Amino acid sequence: MPASMRRMTSSSTSNSGWYSSRDATLPIGDRTMSTSSWTTVGQPDTASDEGLFFTSLNSLAPVTVVLLHVGMSSHLEWSHTWPELTEYHLLIPDLPQHSRSRHVKPFSFGLAADHVAQMIRDHAHDGHAHMVGLSTGGFIAMEVIKRYPEVVTSAFLSGATPLKDMWKRINSQPKLAFLGLSVLLHSPKSLLFKATGWAPEFQNDELLKEIRRNNTSRLYETCTRETNNWDRSDMVDVGKRDKRIALVAGGKQDNVEGMRDMGQLLESLGSNDGRESRAFVVRDAIHAWNLQFPVLFARGIRAWIEKTPLPEAFEPLEKGVMLEEESSS
């Protein structure tokens, strides 16, 4: 594993308009400091072409958070979420074989975890970070926990649980699924938004361009295979690392019951921090709901990190408590 990672700054991160105007302060030693004091973009550093591309924001903030995107996407996926997290130092990479990390290949959860862990060691404050991952990014965050638990403080993960049999059957025909996604990505935007649930007000032409470029048959099939191979035994390995993990299901598209089961599994395997692991559902959320409700997504991240109550939209998936849709089916 290379000791240095490639650090660059995308043009979108240099626009001060991305940042939240929320007035917030955090304690620093015996005083408080406004979060606006560290709302800065890291300087470009292209010393190595071997590691992941990533954007570093708010580098003076004392706590590091890593944001990991969905498969076929890029770090730009988080462009409406990161302005709401200005009190944290953010590391936001492109995953292997995606966008500006296209040179890091072949893609696998293991390779991604190796590189993300090295990025944390080299660039996160004190060599550890809170992990945030969505879908593919969530699985990779858990792979980091399995392999390198020492670099992870806690995790906030959405849409990442072992697949149900129905989805495994769909994923067993990756070429057909890839074709369907390709057609959708090149359809009129009105159809794309309706099919995916991506809120039009958060539409990003640059992100859509990156998704189209990343969506190759080889990468799609690899991501599908890696997801299909993730099973309960992997979740057991994660639970044994005793990390405090929030598992969140998008109520409209995710496996809610599976998320409930995995949340209980992680809690049962924990001995200290892991005992605080919990599962939640956001009823109206799609799978990639950082592109639907980015402010709510950010509020959930902040509450989990700070150990404060999550927003009301996050309904705990507790044993014996069923959603209305489940009880009526």
Side-chain angles (χ1 to χ4, degrees):
M1 172 61 57
S4 59
M5 309 295 276
R6 188 183 191 196
R7 180 172 56 158
M8 300 176 63
T9 304
S10 71
S11 59
S12 61
T13 63
S14 62
N15 182 349
S16 61
W18 285 115
Y19 298 117
S20 170
S21 61
R22 180 170 49 86
D23 182 18
T25 60
L26 291 177
I28 304 295
D30 58 355
R31 60 193 177 91
T32 60
M33 178 181 289
S34 170
T35 58
S36 62
S37 301
W38 52 64
T39 306
T40 57
V41 176
Q43 295 300 311
D45 178 1
T46 58
S48 171
D49 288 332
E50 298 177 343
L52 296 180
F53 163 90
F54 66 92
T55 291
S56 178
L57 300 176
N58 318 322
S59 59
L60 297 180
V63 175
T64 301
V65 178
V66 173
L67 305 178
L68 302 179
H69 63 74
V70 173
M72 310 297 126
S73 189
S74 87
H75 76 286
L76 296 174
E77 172 184 303
W78 299 102
S79 61
H80 295 284
T81 305
W82 72 52
E84 304 298 326
L85 297 169
T86 55
E87 65 268 51
Y88 302 111
H89 172 220
L90 303 177
L91 296 176
I92 316 175
D94 285 338
L95 295 175
Q97 212 170 327
H98 289 72
S99 296
R100 299 187 199 184
S101 296
R102 194 169 283 108
H103 58 286
V104 182
K105 56 187 177 182
F107 176 86
S108 70
F109 288 174
L111 178 69
D114 291 345
H115 279 269
V116 169
Q118 191 62 47
M119 178 188 70
I120 292 171
R121 291 191 197 97
D122 290 345
H123 300 285
H125 297 319
D126 300 321
H128 56 82
H130 296 273
M131 305 289 295
V132 176
L134 180 57
S135 189
T136 301
F139 289 115
I140 291 170
M142 288 191 284
E143 190 70 29
V144 174
I145 292 172
K146 283 172 56 180
R147 294 177 178 226
Y148 311 105
E150 72 279 1
V151 305
V152 179
T153 307
S154 76
F156 179 95
L157 312 175
S158 185
T161 58
L163 295 180
K164 297 195 317 189
D165 290 342
M166 179 188 72
W167 279 106
K168 283 201 170 188
R169 287 194 295 271
I170 292 173
N171 281 1
S172 68
Q173 301 292 330
K175 286 183 170 57
L176 290 177
F178 165 74
L179 180 61
L181 177 60
S182 299
V183 170
L184 185 61
L185 287 173
H186 291 85
S187 299
K189 289 181 182 177
S190 58
L191 178 59
L192 174 65
F193 296 146
K194 183 176 181 179
T196 63
W198 183 354
E201 61 266 34
F202 301 123
Q203 180 263 328
N204 183 325
D205 286 337
E206 189 176 356
L207 172 58
L208 185 55
K209 179 181 177 180
E210 289 301 309
I211 295 173
R212 287 168 175 163
R213 290 182 62 200
N214 292 333
N215 185 45
T216 65
S217 59
R218 178 170 296 181
L219 181 56
Y220 185 90
E221 290 178 27
T222 302
C223 287
T224 298
R225 182 177 64 251
E226 290 286 291
T227 303
N228 271 2
N229 289 340
W230 186 272
D231 59 24
R232 185 183 179 87
S233 67
D234 292 294
M235 299 298 296
V236 169
D237 288 342
V238 172
K240 289 179 178 178
R241 300 304 185 268
D242 200 30
K243 298 297 178 180
R244 182 172 171 270
I245 299 172
L247 292 177
V248 185
K252 288 187 175 295
Q253 296 175 351
D254 286 340
N255 176 9
V256 176
E257 189 58 34
M259 198 72 74
R260 187 203 313 272
D261 291 343
M262 292 304 100
Q264 292 170 5
L265 175 66
L266 295 181
E267 179 186 0
S268 69
L269 292 170
S271 55
N272 291 298
D273 289 350
R275 294 292 296 171
E276 298 181 24
S277 294
R278 294 290 186 273
F280 303 89
V281 61
V282 177
R283 283 177 182 261
D284 294 329
I286 59 172
H287 182 60
W289 62 284
N290 58 343
L291 296 172
Q292 179 193 23
F293 305 129
V295 175
L296 178 62
F297 202 106
R299 288 175 59 203
I301 294 169
R302 183 184 302 110
W304 188 252
I305 290 173
E306 304 299 337
K307 298 186 178 182
T308 60
L310 271 68
E312 186 176 350
F314 289 78
E315 299 181 33
L317 287 171
E318 299 173 352
K319 187 174 182 180
V321 178
M322 301 183 69
L323 302 181
E324 292 176 8
E325 292 85 349
E326 295 174 320
S327 61
S328 62
S329 60

